[in-house]
Amino acid sequence: MAQRRFADEIDEILYHIKNGNNFLLSGGAGSGKTYSLVQTLKKISLIYPTVHIACVTYTNAAAIEIQNRAEIKNLKVSTIHDFLWDTIAPFQKEMKQTLIELVNDSSSSIKNPNEGQQFVCEFENGIKYKEYVRLDRGEISHDEVIVLAQAMYKKYVKLCDILKDKFHFIFVDEYQDTSPLVIEILLSLLPISSRKNIIGFFGDSMQAIYESGIGDVDSYIKNGYIQKVEKKQNRRNPSSVIHLANKLRTDGLQQEPSDDNTAPNMINGVVKQGSIKFLYSESFDLNFVKSSSWCKNWDFTDSKKTKELRLTHNLIADEAGFSELMAIYDADPIFKFKRDLKKEIKRQGKEPNPDDTFDHVVTTLDWYYSNGENRGRHHKDVLLDDNAAAQIYDHIKEWPYTKVQRIYLDKDSIIDNKIVVDGVTVREPKRDRLIQHLFKIQQMIELYHSKNYNELIRRTSFKITKTADKASLKSTIDALAAMNSATIENVIKFANEYKLCIIDDRLNNFIDNNDYLYWRVKDVSFNVFQKLYKYLEGYVPLSTQHKIKGLEFENVLVVLHNGGWSNYNFEYLLNPNIKNSLTTAKQNSFPKILERTQKLFYVCCTRAKDNLVIYCSSPTLAMIEGAKHLFGTENVFKL
């Protein structure tokens, strides 16, 4: 029987829908998957005008974009968390019962706030979905919503019936980033219901770079639960990058230039050739790279056209100038020490008295290093060898042990990004109250420098009743803007005293509950925060390799860092034969690390619209040979 031919991917999707099949549209970077999703929605609306469609996305930004582009009736677009919450929220009785069961189940990811005791709660005000978790008040966050929903769909088949009756189609955008629990709901639990509906997935398994996502649904495809549709065109990248990307793919999909002469990567009906180069040197020297003939014409001050990609925020922080703040949130010596201490207390079964000081608990615990040069030395002694750590320890040593254990530090509290669509912020970043307050202060300085005086006045508590007040405000803002070298605490107090940015209850409460964090941050120079601000607002051409998925730039410089990363190893990518020389343990982890690295590298390379440069310092000879195989000998140069 001759294989059926389709006009395009939409035609093939509609064929599977007509036959009642779930489907997956797989498209590489720059293929226009969102366009295909929107066109599918429009076609379904025309063919089946009375059906109801749900489209779930990874971010609010994507939800808004799809909603605006589709413009059809009977369509509900939302994030996966909002979608699941809306389906279970009406069933409060069942939700309460299921949540209590999960909290008391030691294997559940929803942790019992009353460790060691049975969790019991009446949830008098019901269960609510918030940005934070307070289980004793019935308040749950994103992660708990997914776990709770999966448990409820597994427990109550009626929920599956209701969902399938409500939505004839459920489409999932960027499916590879979706939690495995959500995929289980859609493909394992919903089919238990005798009702009919169709699940459609849109995405790219090669762009699965977040550990929380499913990655791929190959097992469901092999078992016939999903019909795969490939979209091979590439509308973004030049020919050289498409060729490289095809070498990196592991799923068999091979992209080709679009047949649309108006595609962004076409010039006069011909795909752009573009440029890719692999540069290496014996020692790390980015200035050498940027001044080389391949990058010297790039404008590294234009963050919209040129992007330099690093593996982590920590690798960016030093160059961008905010490493002092990053070290507090992500490398605090006491934070790690007290976590290790808690584990040791549990191991030894020596639960401290609630009135014990932190120093008393540390000193009396039999807790020694047993390896290397620190063999036989108490953990506290080793910690105090570091002068900075010793000063920190001296500050908190008389605090109650329980108070020290409540210290919470998370780098996402300072580096989480907002999501902006068409100039509108559709999701505020989840930064802590202190960082948010500092942002408000810096934004006032920015408004002043951009001469947006009306908005500046609106944001302050400064009263303008006469001309002299405007002069006074100008003088005050000038003074604030000149406080670059002042401490963060002094800037906050100045802005509050002169009614530019009032210290409100939210900041006061945050400081009260996080006095250790505030104590560490308050003496940092304000200009360190200003550099963090510029980085987060995109004023510098630096970005982590995880933060640029979905974006594109004329020029992309990818810096390969090799060292100390447990999840990524670029040497594995360039020299896969290294596996044979690894220890048994590393050989076992090799496939997963290689897969993660290859996908992250694929995402980085496919951001380039014109020029791509990869830079690696101190590569082995085998890595250089691997680079020649991947990029072509003519594209590999030693600096």
Side-chain angles (χ1 to χ4, degrees):
M1 184 176 178
Q3 187 174 4
R4 182 183 176 91
R5 297 180 65 87
F6 300 98
D8 55 24
E9 76 279 1
I10 310 298
D11 185 33
E12 189 172 353
I13 288 172
L14 293 175
Y15 171 78
H16 291 307
I17 288 175
K18 183 178 178 181
N19 287 282
N21 297 323
N22 298 329
F23 66 89
L24 161 66
L25 175 74
S26 176
S31 63
K33 293 181 292 295
T34 301
Y35 173 83
S36 298
L37 169 56
V38 170
Q39 291 304 114
T40 301
L41 291 170
K42 290 181 175 180
K43 289 282 188 181
I44 290 174
S45 180
L46 289 173
I47 299 171
Y48 311 102
T50 61
V51 302
H52 288 259
I53 311 168
C55 182
V56 296
T57 67
Y58 190 65
T59 65
N60 283 312
I64 291 173
E65 180 184 7
I66 291 168
Q67 188 78 58
N68 290 342
R69 288 171 62 176
E71 293 184 323
I72 61 174
K73 295 180 179 179
N74 302 331
L75 171 65
K76 178 181 176 60
V77 188
S78 61
T79 65
I80 189 63
H81 300 90
D82 289 339
F83 173 75
L84 290 176
W85 173 252
D86 288 344
T87 67
I88 63 175
F91 307 100
Q92 284 285 327
K93 178 181 177 182
E94 292 81 359
M95 200 187 320
K96 293 175 184 177
Q97 181 180 344
T98 305
L99 181 57
I100 289 176
E101 291 172 358
L102 287 169
V103 174
N104 288 315
D105 181 354
S106 59
S107 65
S108 170
S109 61
I110 302 180
K111 300 305 178 185
N112 189 337
N114 306 321
E115 192 172 346
Q117 301 178 26
Q118 192 76 359
F119 180 78
V120 179
C121 186
E122 295 296 326
F123 300 122
E124 294 180 0
N125 296 317
I127 309 295
K128 296 182 177 64
Y129 175 30
K130 301 285 188 179
E131 290 291 327
Y132 46 82
V133 184
R134 292 192 296 190
L135 289 175
D136 56 334
R137 301 188 185 187
E139 296 166 344
I140 60 175
S141 186
H142 309 297
D143 293 341
E144 291 76 27
V145 165
I146 287 181
V147 175
L148 180 57
Q150 186 268 350
M152 290 182 67
Y153 275 97
K154 189 171 185 178
K155 187 176 181 181
Y156 303 107
V157 178
K158 190 70 176 176
L159 262 181
C160 301
D161 292 338
I162 293 171
L163 182 61
K164 292 172 86 171
D165 283 343
K166 186 174 183 179
F167 295 109
H168 302 85
F169 296 91
I170 301 176
F171 291 166
V172 181
D173 186 31
E174 300 289 358
Y175 80 90
Q176 73 276 357
D177 298 325
T178 305
S179 165
L181 294 179
V182 176
I183 301 298
E184 182 183 347
I185 292 172
L186 297 175
L187 295 179
S188 296
L189 301 179
L190 285 188
I192 296 174
S193 165
S194 60
R195 278 29 171 219
K196 300 293 182 183
N197 80 343
I198 291 174
I199 311 295
F201 298 99
F202 296 77
D204 181 12
S205 62
M206 277 302 295
Q207 297 188 65
I209 60 174
Y210 304 124
E211 287 299 300
S212 59
I214 185 72
D216 62 63
V217 289
D218 290 352
S219 60
Y220 292 98
I221 294 172
K222 291 175 183 176
N223 292 329
Y225 290 113
I226 303 173
Q227 300 301 312
K228 188 175 181 179
V229 178
E230 289 188 342
K231 186 172 187 180
K232 297 182 178 181
Q233 72 167 332
N234 183 309
R235 299 171 53 84
R236 172 195 299 153
N237 303 127
S239 177
S240 56
V241 174
I242 294 174
H243 181 66
L244 171 64
N246 284 340
K247 286 185 176 181
L248 294 170
R249 293 198 72 92
T250 58
D251 62 351
L253 175 65
Q254 294 292 286
Q255 285 191 291
E256 53 198 37
S258 170
D259 56 8
D260 178 5
N261 292 339
T262 65
N265 58 354
M266 305 289 281
I267 298 178
N268 298 324
V270 179
V271 65
K272 292 189 289 187
Q273 176 58 34
S275 169
I276 61 170
K277 294 292 180 286
F278 181 91
L279 310 180
Y280 67 95
S281 60
E282 292 181 359
S283 60
F284 186 81
D285 190 342
L286 266 181
N287 290 328
F288 201 10
V289 176
K290 293 178 181 179
S291 62
S292 70
S293 60
W294 300 282
C295 297
K296 68 179 181 180
N297 293 323
W298 296 11
D299 185 355
F300 280 93
T301 65
D302 189 341
S303 59
K304 295 187 182 301
K305 291 183 177 180
T306 301
K307 216 66 174 177
E308 177 185 329
L309 305 180
R310 308 286 188 91
L311 185 57
T312 69
H313 292 286
N314 288 318
L315 293 168
I316 292 173
D318 189 49
E319 187 172 340
F322 60 90
S323 57
E324 188 176 358
L325 274 173
M326 194 69 183
I328 292 173
Y329 278 85
D330 195 39
D332 181 86
I334 297 298
F335 186 64
K336 181 182 183 305
F337 182 79
K338 61 103 173 175
R339 283 189 306 178
D340 293 343
L341 174 65
K342 186 175 182 180
K343 292 177 184 176
E344 188 63 20
I345 288 172
K346 187 175 182 180
R347 188 186 73 80
Q348 294 189 24
K350 296 182 178 180
E351 193 62 34
N353 186 303
D355 297 326
D356 287 344
T357 66
F358 183 61
D359 186 62
H360 177 79
V361 173
V362 170
T363 305
T364 57
L365 189 70
D366 297 327
W367 189 33
Y368 297 90
Y369 279 102
S370 59
N371 63 330
E373 62 184 32
N374 293 314
R375 183 184 300 275
R377 295 187 66 204
H378 198 281
H379 274 60
K380 176 185 174 183
D381 298 329
V382 176
L383 176 78
L384 298 184
D385 286 345
D386 182 328
N387 289 334
Q391 291 178 11
I392 296 171
Y393 188 89
D394 188 60
H395 179 74
I396 65 169
K397 66 181 182 180
E398 297 304 319
W399 288 11
Y401 166 77
T402 51
K403 178 178 178 178
V404 175
Q405 278 301 333
R406 287 196 297 269
I407 292 174
Y408 179 76
L409 299 168
D410 181 3
K411 65 181 179 182
D412 283 342
S413 297
I414 62 169
I415 57 164
D416 188 42
N417 282 332
K418 62 185 176 184
I419 296 174
V420 178
V421 179
D422 295 331
V424 178
T425 300
V426 297
R427 182 183 79 81
E428 291 294 340
K430 299 172 186 176
R431 301 170 191 146
D432 69 36
R433 290 294 182 192
L434 175 57
I435 299 299
Q436 288 180 39
H437 192 83
L438 292 172
F439 255 78
K440 289 179 183 178
I441 294 173
Q442 182 59 29
Q443 284 166 351
M444 289 179 181
I445 296 174
E446 298 290 327
L447 288 170
Y448 175 66
H449 287 322
S450 63
K451 299 183 179 180
N452 192 345
Y453 303 128
N454 289 336
E455 179 63 17
L456 171 62
I457 293 170
R458 190 188 69 79
R459 292 194 184 193
T460 71
S461 298
F462 206 96
K463 301 298 182 184
I464 303 293
T465 58
K466 53 185 180 295
T467 303
D469 294 334
K470 292 182 180 180
S472 177
L473 176 60
K474 180 183 184 305
S475 146
T476 303
I477 289 286
D478 281 336
L480 176 65
M483 294 181 71
N484 292 353
S485 58
T487 66
I488 282 175
E489 181 177 46
N490 285 339
V491 169
I492 289 174
K493 288 181 176 179
F494 180 90
N496 178 71
E497 180 181 352
Y498 288 93
K499 295 182 172 53
L500 296 175
C501 190
I502 298 296
I503 298 175
D504 60 8
D505 289 344
R506 290 180 297 181
L507 181 60
N508 278 326
N509 290 336
F510 178 83
I511 293 173
D512 288 343
N513 294 321
N514 299 273
D515 51 343
Y516 172 77
L517 172 62
Y518 184 69
W519 173 74
R520 292 225 52 202
V521 170
K522 69 183 179 67
D523 291 328
V524 174
S525 176
F526 186 63
N527 63 17
V528 174
F529 167 76
Q530 289 177 312
K531 290 171 182 175
L532 170 68
Y533 175 90
K534 290 182 182 299
Y535 167 65
L536 292 174
E537 291 296 290
Y539 295 139
V540 294
L542 294 162
S543 175
T544 62
Q545 294 166 7
H546 285 80
K547 288 289 186 181
I548 44 74
K549 199 173 88 165
L551 303 177
E552 54 187 39
F553 309 92
E554 291 179 9
N555 309 305
V556 173
L557 169 62
V558 182
V559 181
L560 302 189
H561 297 276
N562 247 4
W565 315 117
S566 58
N567 290 329
Y568 304 93
N569 192 310
F570 292 108
E571 185 171 8
Y572 289 7
L573 175 69
L574 295 174
N575 178 26
N577 292 328
I578 196 176
K579 179 181 179 181
N580 300 326
S581 63
L582 300 176
T583 63
T584 301
K586 287 188 175 181
Q587 284 188 13
N588 291 336
S589 63
F590 180 89
K592 195 65 181 175
I593 292 175
L594 176 60
E595 179 186 20
R596 286 195 199 102
T597 306
Q598 195 158 345
K599 289 182 175 181
L600 184 63
F601 191 62
Y602 173 87
V603 168
C604 290
C605 293
T606 53
R607 301 309 98 197
K609 297 196 295 181
D610 292 300
N611 305 302
L612 171 68
V613 170
I614 312 297
Y615 171 61
C616 180
S617 63
S618 307
T620 64
L621 289 176
M623 291 172 68
I624 295 171
E625 288 304 309
K628 290 178 180 178
H629 174 74
L630 192 58
F631 298 94
T633 302
E634 71 280 7
N635 293 315
V636 176
F637 296 90
K638 180 179 180 180
L639 295 173

